[in-house]
Amino acid sequence: MSVPAEPQLSGPGHSNDEGFDIRGTIDSAGWTGLAKRALALAALVVLLDGFDIQVLGFSIGLMAKDFGVDKGAFSWVLALSYIGLGVGAATGGFVGDRLGRRSALLLAVSLFGAFTALTALAQSLAVVTCLRFVAGIGLGMVLPAVAALIAELTPIRRRGFAIALATSCLPIGAMLGGVAAATILPSMGWRALFVLGGAAPIVLGLVLWFGLPESPRFQAARGTERDRRRAIATLHRMGQPVGPATVFAGQDGDVGRASAKVLVGTEYRRDSIGLWAAFFLSMLGTYAFLSWGPTLLVAAGFNVAASSLGVSVFHFGGIICAVLGGWLMVRHGSRIVLTGYAVGVAVAGLWLFLMEPGAGNSLILVYAQLFLYGGSVSGLQVLLYSLAAQVYPVTVKATGVGVSGMVGRAGAILAAFVGASLVAAGGGWYYLMVIMVGLLVAVALTVVKKHSPRAARSPRLEPAAV
């Protein structure tokens, strides 16, 4: 199906006979101070999201001792946490498209902040399990709302880079969680770590309440008189001189009321299938290492300290390559960049297969392999959120991103079981899995039609879904 052309812009404020073109105005206005502030606040939410996702993993040893249970008893806690993240991804998308991206983020930080803090009071493993499931819902709600909000406030030439900057804060938060755990756990215990993980998002929620704007494109798409006035007010804050009687033109790709059925309708079915496959496989490849990588390295003959540093190198590669990939997507479009990252995953897996890490290998060589692996697969996972925000129209953008994230979380859950079997069978089988993940993601990306274009293209050639 051909992509509808972007409406022609004319007159002050990009108005035409059908009304004010809000999308064209945002794309041509430049990166405003309000959009940058929204990006900074959203990035802080994602950072705390990454921090709170990891606090349980860092605390399991002390919690098991405190509750008098074996560490293996936490398997169900971890599994339900991942399920909560998947439920939260879908919930965050639904809330973001029904109530607003800002409302979804406020609800998310309230949920994961409050239930992370309450975990500090838990006196049994059963209570921890319930609290982490609900906290997981809040944690999973974050990325769909962030991706939708940043996509709709940022001009097209900065959009992919801005989303990559925000979502790359997830592994940064995980790394900071490791630093905090190393400082707090030995002296203050696991409960203090959960207090910190809960208090920080609650405080940030107050800041969001006063400082985070709503997407004017979402407000305009709602169509009510109240939301029309709110969109005008938001545009004024962005420096756009729109009058109080302004009427907004319909936005390309508008499908009316938000519904997940749109994702599998004729227009978006192919893109959804490609996205879901890419999300599922990239999270399978990422979480297989995060769950079992340290065990794999220890089995290969490395000590615990070297193995832990290997995980940090994996995270660091993801951060660097996510930001770099966002910058490259602006210049070359998403198709070539994401496909290149998928091929990078396969190359990293082949390198690891041919030169399997072992005690006799140079640590520098092993860390180089892990940097390429983490940079490709974790960077790919982050950048896929930018692509998902590109594919779907305003009225189902957060839902589309959220369902994609939910499918991806299923890959993370599967990784816990598949990774264990592959590690038990030997590192070679694990690395063959990494090769297959990269190749299959590359195939999935060819299915997606609405890839983001290069910045050099005219905005009117941008796919209608954005």
Side-chain angles (χ1 to χ4, degrees):
M1 181 177 293
S2 61
V3 176
E6 184 77 12
Q8 298 289 331
L9 307 181
S10 62
H14 299 310
S15 5
N16 54 36
D17 292 340
E18 298 178 352
F20 185 91
D21 177 23
I22 189 170
R23 173 185 162 194
T25 298
I26 291 174
D27 280 345
S28 62
W31 205 354
T32 65
L34 188 72
K36 291 177 181 177
R37 185 174 77 196
L39 172 61
L41 291 173
L44 284 175
V45 176
V46 175
L47 187 145
L48 292 180
D49 190 54
F51 184 102
D52 276 16
I53 286 174
Q54 293 296 317
V55 291
L56 177 64
F58 292 126
S59 305
I60 284 177
L62 291 178
M63 294 175 78
K65 184 178 180 180
D66 198 7
F67 294 145
V69 299
D70 185 79
K71 292 179 183 179
F74 282 83
S75 297
W76 278 106
V77 185
L78 291 169
L80 285 173
S81 295
Y82 284 139
I83 292 172
L85 286 166
V87 173
T91 302
F94 180 83
V95 173
D97 283 332
R98 291 297 179 94
L99 303 181
R101 291 71 165 108
R102 179 178 179 272
S103 298
L105 281 177
L106 287 170
L107 178 59
V109 295
S110 299
L111 271 178
F112 79 76
F115 282 86
T116 297
L118 286 172
T119 305
L121 304 176
Q123 299 298 320
S124 70
L125 189 59
V127 173
V128 170
T129 303
C130 295
L131 292 174
R132 288 309 293 172
F133 174 75
V134 180
I137 294 175
L139 292 165
M141 290 177 65
V142 169
L143 288 181
V146 164
L149 179 65
I150 299 305
E152 292 166 9
L153 281 172
T154 309
I156 184 173
R157 61 184 176 275
R158 304 285 187 183
R159 191 167 298 153
F161 181 61
I163 296 174
L165 277 179
T167 51
S168 64
C169 288
L170 194 72
I172 294 175
M175 291 179 66
L176 290 178
V179 173
T183 304
I184 294 174
L185 291 178
S187 58
M188 303 175 66
W190 65 270
R191 296 183 189 276
L193 187 62
F194 277 90
V195 169
L196 174 62
I202 291 173
V203 172
L204 180 59
L206 296 175
V207 177
L208 297 178
W209 180 269
F210 293 103
L212 186 69
E214 181 56 273
S215 160
R217 288 185 61 187
F218 168 79
Q219 292 168 327
R222 295 259 289 186
T224 68
E225 177 61 22
R226 183 182 183 187
D227 284 301
R228 185 188 70 83
R229 293 196 300 267
R230 287 178 171 177
I232 291 171
T234 304
L235 287 169
H236 273 294
R237 294 166 66 192
M238 297 178 73
Q240 296 299 317
V242 293
T246 297
V247 175
F248 296 102
Q251 300 183 58
D252 282 356
D254 190 354
V255 293
R257 188 173 178 82
S259 171
K261 293 181 180 179
V262 174
L263 309 183
V264 292
T266 304
E267 177 66 19
Y268 298 103
R269 184 184 301 124
R270 175 175 165 176
D271 294 298
S272 294
I273 291 171
L275 273 173
W276 295 345
F279 265 87
F280 179 89
L281 292 163
S282 68
M283 287 202 185
L284 172 64
T286 299
Y287 282 89
F289 180 80
L290 294 180
S291 299
W292 297 103
T295 302
L296 188 64
L297 293 174
V298 169
F302 296 101
N303 60 38
V304 174
S307 301
S308 298
L309 185 55
V311 176
S312 297
V313 170
F314 180 92
H315 277 307
F316 185 66
I319 295 166
I320 297 298
C321 291
V323 176
L324 175 63
W327 180 81
L328 289 172
M329 282 172 62
V330 172
R331 285 151 181 79
H332 303 290
S334 62
R335 186 182 299 276
I336 188 171
V337 174
L338 293 178
T339 302
Y341 273 49
V343 172
V345 175
V347 170
L350 181 61
W351 189 10
L352 286 161
F353 180 78
L354 295 176
M355 302 183 66
E356 189 170 334
N361 296 85
S362 164
L363 271 178
I364 295 178
L365 173 63
V366 174
Y367 291 157
Q369 293 172 313
L370 295 179
F371 182 91
L372 177 60
Y373 177 22
S376 299
V377 73
S378 186
L380 176 67
Q381 179 195 325
V382 168
L383 294 172
L384 282 170
Y385 282 98
S386 178
L387 177 60
Q390 163 76 21
V391 165
Y392 298 109
V394 172
T395 45
V396 292
K397 191 181 295 292
T399 298
V401 177
V403 172
S404 298
M406 180 184 69
V407 174
R409 293 297 174 186
I413 295 169
L414 180 63
F417 301 100
V418 171
S421 300
L422 293 174
V423 168
W429 289 101
Y430 177 91
Y431 303 131
L432 284 174
M433 180 272 293
V434 175
I435 296 172
M436 290 304 301
V437 163
L439 294 177
L440 290 174
V441 171
V443 172
L445 290 169
T446 66
V447 176
V448 178
K449 296 183 297 181
K450 296 181 178 67
H451 277 274
S452 61
R454 293 180 296 175
R457 295 185 182 183
S458 166
R460 71 185 55 175
L461 297 180
E462 180 193 1
V466 173

